[in-house]
Amino acid sequence: MTSKGHFITFEGIDGSGKSTQARMLADHMRDQGYDVILTREPGGSAGAEEIRALVLQGDPDRWSAETELLLFTAARRDHMERLIQPAIDSGQIVICDRFADSTRMYQGLSRGDLRSKVDTLHDLMIGREPDLTILIDMDPGQGLARAKGRQGTEERFEDFGTDLQEKMRAGFLALATEFANRFRIIDGGRAINDVAAEVQAVVTAHLSSSD
Ligand SMILES: Nc1ncnc2c1ncn2[C@@H]1O[C@H](COP(=O)(O)OP(=O)(O)OP(=O)(O)O)[C@@H](O)[C@H]1O
Ligand SMILES: [Mg+2]
Protein backbone atom coordinates (compact mmCIF):
# COMPACT_ATOMS: atom_id res chain seq x y z
CA MET A 1 0.00 0.00 0.00
CA THR A 2 2.80 2.40 0.83
CA SER A 3 6.17 2.25 -0.87
CA LYS A 4 7.92 4.39 1.73
CA GLY A 5 9.35 2.59 4.73
CA HIS A 6 8.68 3.82 8.25
CA PHE A 7 10.31 3.08 11.56
CA ILE A 8 8.01 3.35 14.60
CA THR A 9 9.08 2.59 18.16
CA PHE A 10 7.24 2.15 21.47
CA GLU A 11 8.82 3.35 24.69
CA GLY A 12 7.79 3.75 28.30
CA ILE A 13 8.34 2.33 31.77
CA ASP A 14 7.94 -1.35 32.56
CA GLY A 15 4.38 -2.61 32.36
CA SER A 16 3.08 0.50 30.58
CA GLY A 17 1.60 -1.55 27.73
CA LYS A 18 4.27 -1.23 25.01
CA SER A 19 4.15 -4.87 23.87
CA THR A 20 0.35 -4.93 23.96
CA GLN A 21 0.06 -1.74 21.92
CA ALA A 22 2.84 -2.64 19.46
CA ARG A 23 1.04 -5.90 18.69
CA MET A 24 -2.35 -4.20 18.32
CA LEU A 25 -0.89 -1.52 16.04
CA ALA A 26 0.79 -4.17 13.87
CA ASP A 27 -2.53 -6.03 13.53
CA HIS A 28 -4.36 -2.82 12.70
CA MET A 29 -1.84 -1.73 10.08
CA ARG A 30 -1.91 -5.17 8.43
CA ASP A 31 -5.70 -4.95 8.29
CA GLN A 32 -5.22 -1.63 6.50
CA GLY A 33 -3.07 -3.38 3.89
CA TYR A 34 0.37 -2.29 5.05
CA ASP A 35 3.37 -4.57 4.99
CA VAL A 36 4.40 -4.64 8.66
CA ILE A 37 7.33 -6.07 10.60
CA LEU A 38 6.78 -6.31 14.37
CA THR A 39 9.98 -6.64 16.33
CA ARG A 40 11.47 -5.90 19.74
CA GLU A 41 14.60 -5.01 21.64
CA PRO A 42 16.79 -6.27 23.01
CA GLY A 43 16.67 -8.93 20.31
CA GLY A 44 14.73 -8.97 17.07
CA SER A 45 17.34 -10.77 14.97
CA ALA A 46 18.94 -14.16 15.59
CA GLY A 47 22.23 -12.75 16.88
CA ALA A 48 20.55 -10.07 18.94
CA GLU A 49 18.24 -12.64 20.55
CA GLU A 50 21.32 -14.52 21.74
CA ILE A 51 22.64 -11.31 23.29
CA ARG A 52 19.19 -10.72 24.83
CA ALA A 53 19.55 -13.91 26.84
CA LEU A 54 22.95 -12.70 28.08
CA VAL A 55 21.65 -9.34 29.26
CA LEU A 56 18.24 -10.26 30.66
CA GLN A 57 18.90 -13.54 32.44
CA GLY A 58 21.05 -14.40 35.41
CA ASP A 59 22.47 -12.30 38.22
CA PRO A 60 21.50 -8.61 37.85
CA ASP A 61 25.14 -7.72 38.63
CA ARG A 62 26.50 -10.07 36.00
CA TRP A 63 27.68 -7.15 33.82
CA SER A 64 28.91 -3.68 34.66
CA ALA A 65 26.80 -0.84 33.28
CA GLU A 66 29.47 -0.20 30.62
CA THR A 67 29.62 -3.83 29.49
CA GLU A 68 25.85 -3.97 29.40
CA LEU A 69 25.81 -0.86 27.21
CA LEU A 70 28.23 -2.52 24.78
CA LEU A 71 26.09 -5.66 24.66
CA PHE A 72 22.91 -3.67 24.00
CA THR A 73 24.68 -1.69 21.28
CA ALA A 74 26.03 -4.88 19.67
CA ALA A 75 22.53 -6.39 19.70
CA ARG A 76 21.03 -3.21 18.21
CA ARG A 77 23.66 -3.09 15.47
CA ASP A 78 22.83 -6.65 14.43
CA HIS A 79 19.09 -5.95 14.59
CA MET A 80 19.50 -2.78 12.51
CA GLU A 81 21.71 -4.24 9.81
CA ARG A 82 19.96 -7.61 9.47
CA LEU A 83 16.32 -6.69 9.95
CA ILE A 84 15.30 -3.06 10.47
CA GLN A 85 17.20 -1.22 7.73
CA PRO A 86 16.53 -3.78 4.98
CA ALA A 87 12.81 -3.74 5.87
CA ILE A 88 12.65 0.07 5.78
CA ASP A 89 14.54 0.08 2.47
CA SER A 90 12.01 -2.33 1.00
CA GLY A 91 9.11 -0.06 1.99
CA GLN A 92 7.84 -1.93 5.05
CA ILE A 93 6.58 -0.43 8.28
CA VAL A 94 8.83 -1.54 11.13
CA ILE A 95 7.22 -1.44 14.57
CA CYS A 96 9.75 -1.98 17.33
CA ASP A 97 8.96 -2.62 21.00
CA ARG A 98 11.70 -0.54 22.73
CA PHE A 99 14.75 0.88 20.96
CA ALA A 100 17.63 3.24 21.71
CA ASP A 101 15.56 5.49 23.98
CA SER A 102 15.29 2.59 26.42
CA THR A 103 19.09 2.39 26.47
CA ARG A 104 19.27 6.16 27.00
CA MET A 105 17.08 5.56 30.07
CA TYR A 106 18.18 2.24 31.52
CA GLN A 107 21.90 2.31 30.79
CA GLY A 108 22.13 6.08 30.51
CA LEU A 109 20.26 6.96 33.68
CA SER A 110 19.48 4.10 36.04
CA ARG A 111 22.83 2.32 36.07
CA GLY A 112 25.12 5.31 36.30
CA ASP A 113 25.48 8.47 34.32
CA LEU A 114 26.38 6.94 30.96
CA ARG A 115 24.12 9.03 28.76
CA SER A 116 26.92 10.66 26.77
CA LYS A 117 28.52 7.26 26.15
CA VAL A 118 25.14 5.90 25.04
CA ASP A 119 24.78 8.75 22.53
CA THR A 120 28.37 8.47 21.29
CA LEU A 121 28.02 4.73 20.68
CA HIS A 122 24.64 5.26 19.05
CA ASP A 123 26.05 7.83 16.61
CA LEU A 124 29.02 5.63 15.86
CA MET A 125 27.32 2.26 15.49
CA ILE A 126 23.60 2.78 14.85
CA GLY A 127 23.34 6.24 13.29
CA ARG A 128 19.59 6.35 12.96
CA GLU A 129 16.61 7.39 15.05
CA PRO A 130 13.02 6.20 14.60
CA ASP A 131 10.69 8.26 12.41
CA LEU A 132 8.06 8.17 15.16
CA THR A 133 8.33 7.21 18.83
CA ILE A 134 5.21 6.55 20.86
CA LEU A 135 5.79 7.10 24.57
CA ILE A 136 3.21 5.33 26.67
CA ASP A 137 3.19 7.40 29.82
CA MET A 138 1.64 6.18 33.04
CA ASP A 139 1.83 6.02 36.79
CA PRO A 140 4.55 3.53 37.87
CA GLY A 141 2.34 2.01 40.58
CA GLN A 142 -0.17 1.00 37.93
CA GLY A 143 2.63 -0.48 35.79
CA LEU A 144 3.97 -2.47 38.74
CA ALA A 145 0.57 -3.97 39.44
CA ARG A 146 0.27 -5.05 35.80
CA ALA A 147 3.81 -6.42 35.54
CA LYS A 148 3.34 -8.51 38.67
CA GLY A 149 0.52 -10.31 36.89
CA ARG A 150 3.08 -11.91 34.61
CA GLN A 151 5.74 -14.55 35.16
CA GLY A 152 9.02 -15.38 33.49
CA THR A 153 12.78 -15.56 33.71
CA GLU A 154 13.23 -12.10 32.21
CA GLU A 155 11.30 -10.10 34.78
CA ARG A 156 13.44 -7.41 36.25
CA PHE A 157 10.73 -5.02 37.34
CA GLU A 158 10.74 -6.13 40.96
CA ASP A 159 14.42 -5.20 41.15
CA PHE A 160 13.49 -1.60 40.41
CA GLY A 161 11.77 0.30 43.22
CA THR A 162 8.95 2.75 42.63
CA ASP A 163 11.37 5.67 43.10
CA LEU A 164 13.45 4.48 40.20
CA GLN A 165 10.35 3.98 38.08
CA GLU A 166 9.32 7.57 38.86
CA LYS A 167 12.78 8.67 37.75
CA MET A 168 12.40 6.61 34.57
CA ARG A 169 9.00 8.13 33.87
CA ALA A 170 10.42 11.64 34.24
CA GLY A 171 13.40 10.65 32.11
CA PHE A 172 11.20 9.41 29.27
CA LEU A 173 9.16 12.62 29.40
CA ALA A 174 12.41 14.61 29.22
CA LEU A 175 13.47 12.57 26.18
CA ALA A 176 10.14 13.41 24.57
CA THR A 177 11.01 17.08 24.98
CA GLU A 178 14.57 16.57 23.74
CA PHE A 179 13.38 14.73 20.62
CA ALA A 180 10.07 16.56 20.26
CA ASN A 181 9.96 16.14 16.48
CA ARG A 182 9.60 12.35 16.63
CA PHE A 183 7.98 11.72 20.07
CA ARG A 184 4.25 11.54 20.76
CA ILE A 185 3.08 11.02 24.35
CA ILE A 186 0.04 8.84 24.97
CA ASP A 187 -1.72 8.35 28.31
CA GLY A 188 -1.39 4.63 29.03
CA GLY A 189 -3.50 4.66 32.18
CA ARG A 190 -6.70 3.92 30.31
CA ALA A 191 -8.49 0.90 28.86
CA ILE A 192 -6.44 -1.02 26.30
CA ASN A 193 -8.78 -0.18 23.40
CA ASP A 194 -8.80 3.53 24.22
CA VAL A 195 -5.00 3.62 24.21
CA ALA A 196 -4.96 1.63 20.95
CA ALA A 197 -7.36 4.05 19.27
CA GLU A 198 -5.11 6.99 20.10
CA VAL A 199 -2.03 5.11 18.93
CA GLN A 200 -3.76 4.46 15.60
CA ALA A 201 -4.72 8.11 15.25
CA VAL A 202 -1.16 9.26 15.95
CA VAL A 203 0.30 6.79 13.43
CA THR A 204 -2.26 7.66 10.77
CA ALA A 205 -1.45 11.34 11.18
CA HIS A 206 2.27 10.59 10.97
CA LEU A 207 1.92 8.53 7.79
CA SER A 208 -0.25 11.09 6.05
CA SER A 209 2.13 13.92 6.95
CA SER A 210 5.23 12.13 5.72
CA ASP A 211 4.06 10.35 2.56
N1 LIG B 1 -4.41 -0.38 29.15
C1 LIG B 1 -4.26 -1.47 29.91
N2 LIG B 1 -5.09 -1.72 30.92
C2 LIG B 1 -4.95 -2.83 31.69
N3 LIG B 1 -4.01 -3.78 31.52
C3 LIG B 1 -3.14 -3.59 30.53
C4 LIG B 1 -3.21 -2.44 29.66
N4 LIG B 1 -2.22 -2.52 28.76
C5 LIG B 1 -1.55 -3.65 29.05
N5 LIG B 1 -2.11 -4.31 30.10
C6 LIG B 1 -1.64 -5.55 30.73
O1 LIG B 1 -0.55 -5.18 31.55
C7 LIG B 1 0.52 -6.12 31.45
C8 LIG B 1 1.73 -5.40 30.91
O2 LIG B 1 1.49 -5.00 29.55
P1 LIG B 1 2.65 -5.11 28.46
O3 LIG B 1 3.34 -6.41 28.56
O4 LIG B 1 2.05 -4.74 27.16
O5 LIG B 1 3.60 -3.93 28.98
P2 LIG B 1 5.08 -3.59 28.56
O6 LIG B 1 5.17 -2.12 28.57
O7 LIG B 1 5.41 -4.30 27.31
O8 LIG B 1 5.92 -4.19 29.77
P3 LIG B 1 7.49 -4.52 29.83
O9 LIG B 1 8.18 -3.19 29.92
O10 LIG B 1 7.65 -5.28 31.10
O11 LIG B 1 7.83 -5.28 28.59
C9 LIG B 1 0.01 -7.23 30.54
O12 LIG B 1 -0.49 -8.28 31.35
C10 LIG B 1 -1.11 -6.56 29.74
O13 LIG B 1 -2.08 -7.47 29.32
MG1 LIG C 1 6.96 -5.63 26.86
Side-chain angles (χ1 to χ4, degrees):
M1 194 168 166
T2 179
S3 59
K4 187 166 176 278
H6 291 272
F7 182 26
I8 300 170
T9 58
F10 280 83
E11 298 284 0
I13 61 170
D14 290 337
S16 54
K18 299 176 294 298
S19 301
T20 303
Q21 294 299 330
R23 206 163 40 237
M24 290 175 80
L25 178 65
D27 289 344
H28 172 77
M29 299 306 289
R30 284 179 186 131
D31 287 348
Q32 302 288 304
Y34 289 98
D35 194 357
V36 177
I37 298 260
L38 174 62
T39 187
R40 65 157 183 193
E41 289 211 347
S45 58
E49 287 289 331
E50 290 191 44
I51 299 173
R52 178 188 177 98
L54 292 176
V55 291
L56 292 189
Q57 294 174 13
D59 185 344
D61 293 328
R62 185 177 185 183
W63 311 109
S64 71
E66 288 80 0
T67 309
E68 193 174 82
L69 168 58
L70 289 167
L71 288 168
F72 273 99
T73 306
R76 181 161 304 127
R77 172 74 200 202
D78 190 69
H79 191 203
M80 180 57 78
E81 66 184 34
R82 303 292 171 99
L83 184 78
I84 297 174
Q85 195 62 54
I88 296 168
D89 291 344
S90 72
Q92 292 175 294
I93 295 188
V94 178
I95 298 172
C96 191
D97 180 356
R98 291 192 181 282
F99 189 65
D101 297 313
S102 281
T103 306
R104 291 185 171 104
M105 286 297 98
Y106 290 88
Q107 282 67 48
L109 191 62
S110 77
R111 296 207 63 199
D113 189 11
L114 297 183
R115 175 65 197 278
S116 70
K117 289 192 172 74
V118 172
D119 286 335
T120 301
L121 276 173
H122 185 84
D123 291 347
L124 196 61
M125 287 297 163
I126 311 299
R128 187 191 209 292
E129 299 293 348
D131 301 310
L132 174 68
T133 299
I134 295 169
L135 172 58
I136 305 191
D137 176 57
M138 66 179 286
D139 170 55
Q142 217 176 332
L144 178 61
R146 287 182 190 172
K148 279 194 165 152
R150 293 175 309 172
Q151 305 224 314
T153 51
E154 291 184 346
E155 278 195 30
R156 306 203 310 178
F157 190 96
E158 282 81 353
D159 301 335
F160 295 150
T162 307
D163 284 357
L164 183 52
Q165 290 298 330
E166 286 288 2
K167 194 174 156 190
M168 291 292 114
R169 180 191 197 181
F172 274 119
L173 289 169
L175 274 184
T177 302
E178 185 179 342
F179 298 103
N181 59 329
R182 68 175 165 89
F183 263 88
R184 298 292 177 274
I185 302 168
I186 287 184
D187 174 11
R190 298 172 293 165
I192 288 180
N193 288 335
D194 292 346
V195 179
E198 196 181 339
V199 169
Q200 288 168 18
V202 160
V203 170
T204 302
H206 166 78
L207 294 179
S208 59
S209 73
S210 60
D211 271 342

Coordinates of all heavy atoms in Angstrom, one line a residue, residues 107-158:
Q107 N 20.4 2.3 30.6 CA 21.9 2.3 30.8 C 22.4 3.7 31.0 O 23.4 4.0 31.7 CB 22.6 1.7 29.6 CG 22.6 0.2 29.6 CD 21.2 -0.4 29.4 OE1 20.5 0.0 28.5 NE2 20.8 -1.3 30.3
G108 N 21.7 4.7 30.4 CA 22.1 6.1 30.5 C 21.8 6.8 31.8 O 22.4 7.7 32.2
L109 N 20.8 6.3 32.5 CA 20.3 7.0 33.7 C 20.2 6.1 34.9 O 20.7 6.5 36.0 CB 18.8 7.5 33.4 CG 18.2 8.4 34.3 CD1 18.9 9.7 34.4 CD2 16.7 8.7 33.8
S110 N 19.7 4.9 34.8 CA 19.5 4.1 36.0 C 20.7 3.4 36.5 O 20.8 3.1 37.7 CB 18.3 3.1 35.8 OG 18.8 2.0 35.1
R111 N 21.7 3.1 35.6 CA 22.8 2.3 36.1 C 24.1 3.2 36.0 O 25.2 2.7 35.6 CB 23.0 1.1 35.2 CG 21.9 0.1 35.3 CD 22.3 -1.3 35.1 NE 23.3 -1.8 36.0 CZ 24.1 -2.8 35.8 NH1 24.1 -3.4 34.6 NH2 25.0 -3.2 36.7
G112 N 24.0 4.4 36.4 CA 25.1 5.3 36.3 C 24.9 6.3 35.2 O 23.9 6.2 34.5
D113 N 25.7 7.3 35.2 CA 25.5 8.5 34.3 C 26.2 8.2 33.0 O 27.2 8.9 32.7 CB 26.0 9.7 35.0 CG 25.5 11.0 34.2 OD1 24.7 10.8 33.3 OD2 26.0 12.1 34.6
L114 N 25.7 7.3 32.2 CA 26.4 6.9 31.0 C 25.7 7.6 29.7 O 26.0 7.2 28.6 CB 26.4 5.4 30.8 CG 27.1 4.6 31.9 CD1 27.1 3.1 31.5 CD2 28.6 5.1 32.0
R115 N 24.9 8.5 29.9 CA 24.1 9.0 28.8 C 25.0 9.5 27.6 O 24.7 9.2 26.4 CB 23.2 10.2 29.2 CG 22.4 10.9 28.1 CD 21.4 9.9 27.4 NE 21.1 10.5 26.1 CZ 20.1 11.5 26.0 NH1 19.5 11.9 27.0 NH2 19.9 11.9 24.8
S116 N 26.1 10.2 27.9 CA 26.9 10.7 26.8 C 27.6 9.5 26.0 O 27.8 9.5 24.8 CB 27.9 11.7 27.2 OG 28.9 11.1 28.0
K117 N 27.9 8.5 26.8 CA 28.5 7.3 26.2 C 27.5 6.5 25.3 O 27.8 6.0 24.2 CB 29.1 6.3 27.2 CG 30.4 6.8 27.8 CD 31.1 5.7 28.6 CE 32.4 6.1 29.1 NZ 32.4 7.0 30.3
V118 N 26.2 6.5 25.8 CA 25.1 5.9 25.0 C 25.0 6.6 23.7 O 24.9 6.0 22.6 CB 23.8 6.0 25.8 CG1 22.6 5.5 24.9 CG2 23.9 5.1 27.1
D119 N 25.0 8.0 23.8 CA 24.8 8.7 22.5 C 26.0 8.6 21.6 O 25.8 8.5 20.4 CB 24.5 10.2 22.9 CG 23.1 10.4 23.5 OD1 22.2 9.6 23.2 OD2 23.0 11.4 24.2
T120 N 27.2 8.6 22.1 CA 28.4 8.5 21.3 C 28.4 7.1 20.6 O 28.6 7.1 19.4 CB 29.6 8.6 22.2 OG1 29.6 9.9 22.8 CG2 30.9 8.5 21.3
L121 N 28.1 6.1 21.3 CA 28.0 4.7 20.7 C 26.9 4.6 19.7 O 27.0 4.0 18.6 CB 27.8 3.6 21.8 CG 29.1 3.2 22.4 CD1 28.7 2.2 23.6 CD2 30.0 2.5 21.5
H122 N 25.8 5.3 20.0 CA 24.6 5.3 19.0 C 25.0 5.9 17.7 O 24.8 5.4 16.6 CB 23.4 5.9 19.7 CG 22.2 5.9 18.8 ND1 21.4 4.8 18.8 CD2 21.7 6.7 17.9 CE1 20.4 4.9 17.9 NE2 20.6 6.1 17.3
D123 N 25.7 7.1 17.8 CA 26.1 7.8 16.6 C 27.0 7.0 15.8 O 27.0 7.0 14.6 CB 26.7 9.2 17.0 CG 25.7 10.1 17.6 OD1 24.5 9.9 17.4 OD2 26.1 11.2 18.1
L124 N 28.0 6.4 16.5 CA 29.0 5.6 15.9 C 28.5 4.3 15.2 O 28.9 4.0 14.1 CB 30.1 5.3 16.9 CG 31.5 4.8 16.5 CD1 32.1 5.9 15.7 CD2 32.3 4.5 17.7
M125 N 27.7 3.6 15.9 CA 27.3 2.3 15.5 C 25.9 2.1 15.0 O 25.6 1.1 14.3 CB 27.5 1.3 16.7 CG 29.0 1.1 16.9 SD 29.7 0.2 15.5 CE 31.4 0.5 15.8
I126 N 25.0 3.0 15.3 CA 23.6 2.8 14.8 C 23.2 3.9 13.8 O 22.8 3.6 12.7 CB 22.6 2.8 16.0 CG1 23.1 1.8 17.2 CG2 21.2 2.5 15.6 CD1 23.2 0.4 16.8
G127 N 23.4 5.1 14.2 CA 23.3 6.2 13.3 C 22.0 6.5 12.7 O 21.8 7.1 11.7
R128 N 20.9 6.1 13.5 CA 19.6 6.4 13.0 C 18.6 6.4 14.1 O 18.7 5.6 15.0 CB 19.2 5.2 12.0 CG 17.9 5.5 11.3 CD 17.4 4.3 10.6 NE 16.5 4.6 9.5 CZ 15.4 5.2 9.5 NH1 14.8 5.5 10.7 NH2 14.7 5.4 8.4
E129 N 17.7 7.3 14.1 CA 16.6 7.4 15.1 C 15.3 6.9 14.4 O 15.2 6.9 13.2 CB 16.4 8.8 15.6 CG 17.7 9.4 16.3 CD 18.0 8.8 17.6 OE1 17.2 7.9 18.1 OE2 19.1 9.0 18.1
P130 N 14.3 6.5 15.2 CA 13.0 6.2 14.6 C 12.4 7.4 13.9 O 12.7 8.6 14.2 CB 12.2 5.8 15.8 CG 13.2 5.5 16.9 CD 14.4 6.4 16.6
D131 N 11.4 7.2 13.0 CA 10.7 8.3 12.4 C 9.6 8.8 13.4 O 9.3 9.9 13.4 CB 10.0 7.8 11.1 CG 11.0 7.3 10.1 OD1 12.0 8.0 9.9 OD2 10.9 6.1 9.6
L132 N 9.1 7.8 14.2 CA 8.1 8.2 15.2 C 8.3 7.3 16.4 O 8.5 6.1 16.3 CB 6.7 7.9 14.5 CG 5.5 8.0 15.5 CD1 5.2 9.5 15.8 CD2 4.2 7.4 14.8
T133 N 8.2 7.9 17.6 CA 8.3 7.2 18.8 C 7.1 7.5 19.7 O 6.8 8.6 20.0 CB 9.6 7.6 19.6 OG1 10.7 7.3 18.8 CG2 9.7 6.9 20.9
I134 N 6.4 6.4 20.0 CA 5.2 6.5 20.9 C 5.6 6.3 22.3 O 6.0 5.1 22.6 CB 4.1 5.6 20.4 CG1 3.7 6.1 19.0 CG2 2.9 5.6 21.3 CD1 2.8 5.1 18.3
L135 N 5.5 7.3 23.1 CA 5.8 7.1 24.6 C 4.5 6.8 25.3 O 3.6 7.7 25.3 CB 6.5 8.4 25.1 CG 6.7 8.4 26.6 CD1 7.5 7.2 27.1 CD2 7.3 9.7 27.1
I136 N 4.4 5.6 25.9 CA 3.2 5.3 26.7 C 3.5 5.7 28.1 O 4.3 5.1 28.8 CB 2.8 3.8 26.6 CG1 2.7 3.5 25.1 CG2 1.6 3.6 27.4 CD1 2.1 2.2 24.8
D137 N 2.9 6.8 28.5 CA 3.2 7.4 29.8 C 2.1 6.9 30.8 O 0.9 6.9 30.5 CB 3.2 8.9 29.7 CG 3.4 9.6 31.0 OD1 4.4 9.3 31.7 OD2 2.5 10.4 31.4
M138 N 2.6 6.5 32.0 CA 1.6 6.2 33.0 C 2.3 6.1 34.4 O 3.5 6.1 34.6 CB 1.0 4.9 32.7 CG 1.9 3.7 32.8 SD 0.9 2.2 32.5 CE 0.1 2.0 34.0
D139 N 1.4 6.1 35.4 CA 1.8 6.0 36.8 C 2.6 4.7 37.1 O 2.0 3.6 36.7 CB 0.6 6.1 37.7 CG 0.9 5.8 39.1 OD1 1.7 6.5 39.7 OD2 0.2 4.9 39.7
P140 N 3.8 4.8 37.7 CA 4.6 3.5 37.9 C 3.8 2.5 38.8 O 4.0 1.3 38.6 CB 5.8 4.0 38.6 CG 6.0 5.4 38.2 CD 4.6 6.0 38.0
G141 N 3.0 3.0 39.7 CA 2.3 2.0 40.6 C 1.4 1.1 39.8 O 1.3 -0.1 40.0
Q142 N 0.8 1.7 38.8 CA -0.2 1.0 37.9 C 0.6 0.0 37.1 O 0.2 -1.1 36.9 CB -0.9 2.0 37.0 CG -2.3 1.7 36.7 CD -2.9 2.8 35.9 OE1 -2.5 4.0 36.0 NE2 -3.9 2.5 35.1
G143 N 1.8 0.4 36.6 CA 2.6 -0.5 35.8 C 3.1 -1.7 36.6 O 3.1 -2.8 36.1
L144 N 3.5 -1.4 37.9 CA 4.0 -2.5 38.7 C 2.9 -3.5 39.0 O 3.1 -4.7 38.9 CB 4.4 -1.9 40.1 CG 4.9 -2.8 41.1 CD1 6.1 -3.6 40.7 CD2 5.2 -2.1 42.4
A145 N 1.7 -3.0 39.2 CA 0.6 -4.0 39.4 C 0.3 -4.8 38.2 O 0.1 -6.1 38.3 CB -0.7 -3.2 39.8
R146 N 0.5 -4.3 37.0 CA 0.3 -5.0 35.8 C 1.4 -6.0 35.6 O 1.2 -7.2 35.3 CB 0.3 -4.1 34.6 CG -1.0 -3.3 34.5 CD -0.9 -2.5 33.2 NE -1.9 -1.5 33.1 CZ -1.9 -0.5 32.2 NH1 -1.0 -0.5 31.3 NH2 -2.9 0.3 32.1
A147 N 2.6 -5.6 35.8 CA 3.8 -6.4 35.5 C 3.8 -7.6 36.5 O 4.3 -8.7 36.1 CB 5.1 -5.6 35.7
K148 N 3.3 -7.4 37.7 CA 3.3 -8.5 38.7 C 2.4 -9.6 38.3 O 2.5 -10.7 38.8 CB 3.0 -8.0 40.1 CG 4.2 -7.4 40.7 CD 4.0 -7.2 42.2 CE 5.4 -6.9 42.9 NZ 5.3 -6.1 44.1
G149 N 1.4 -9.3 37.4 CA 0.5 -10.3 36.9 C 1.2 -11.3 35.9 O 0.6 -12.3 35.5
R150 N 2.4 -11.0 35.6 CA 3.1 -11.9 34.6 C 4.2 -12.7 35.3 O 4.7 -12.4 36.4 CB 3.7 -11.1 33.5 CG 2.6 -10.4 32.6 CD 3.3 -9.5 31.6 NE 4.2 -8.7 32.3 CZ 5.1 -7.9 31.7 NH1 5.1 -7.9 30.4 NH2 5.9 -7.1 32.3
Q151 N 4.6 -13.8 34.6 CA 5.7 -14.6 35.2 C 6.8 -14.8 34.1 O 6.5 -14.6 32.9 CB 5.2 -15.9 35.5 CG 4.1 -15.8 36.5 CD 4.2 -16.8 37.6 OE1 4.5 -18.0 37.4 NE2 4.0 -16.4 38.8
G152 N 8.0 -15.1 34.5 CA 9.0 -15.4 33.5 C 10.4 -15.2 34.0 O 10.6 -14.5 35.0
T153 N 11.4 -15.7 33.3 CA 12.8 -15.6 33.7 C 13.4 -14.2 33.4 O 14.4 -13.9 33.9 CB 13.7 -16.6 33.0 OG1 13.4 -16.5 31.6 CG2 13.4 -18.0 33.4
E154 N 12.7 -13.4 32.6 CA 13.2 -12.1 32.2 C 12.7 -10.9 33.0 O 13.0 -9.8 32.8 CB 12.9 -11.8 30.7 CG 13.7 -12.8 29.8 CD 13.5 -12.5 28.4 OE1 12.6 -11.7 28.1 OE2 14.3 -13.0 27.5
E155 N 11.9 -11.2 34.0 CA 11.3 -10.1 34.8 C 12.3 -9.4 35.6 O 13.0 -10.1 36.5 CB 10.1 -10.6 35.6 CG 8.9 -10.7 34.8 CD 7.7 -10.8 35.7 OE1 7.7 -10.3 36.8 OE2 6.7 -11.5 35.3
R156 N 12.5 -8.1 35.4 CA 13.4 -7.4 36.2 C 12.8 -6.3 37.0 O 13.4 -5.5 37.7 CB 14.6 -6.9 35.4 CG 15.2 -8.0 34.6 CD 16.6 -7.6 34.1 NE 16.7 -6.3 33.5 CZ 17.8 -5.7 33.1 NH1 18.9 -6.3 33.3 NH2 17.8 -4.5 32.6
F157 N 11.5 -6.2 36.8 CA 10.7 -5.0 37.3 C 10.9 -5.0 38.9 O 11.1 -3.9 39.4 CB 9.2 -5.1 36.9 CG 8.5 -3.9 37.3 CD1 8.3 -2.9 36.3 CD2 8.0 -3.7 38.6 CE1 7.6 -1.7 36.7 CE2 7.3 -2.5 38.9 CZ 7.1 -1.5 37.9
E158 N 10.7 -6.1 39.5 CA 10.7 -6.1 41.0 C 12.1 -5.6 41.5 O 12.1 -5.2 42.7 CB 10.4 -7.5 41.5 CG 9.0 -7.9 41.5 CD 8.5 -8.4 40.1 OE1 9.3 -8.3 39.1 OE2 7.4 -8.8 40.0

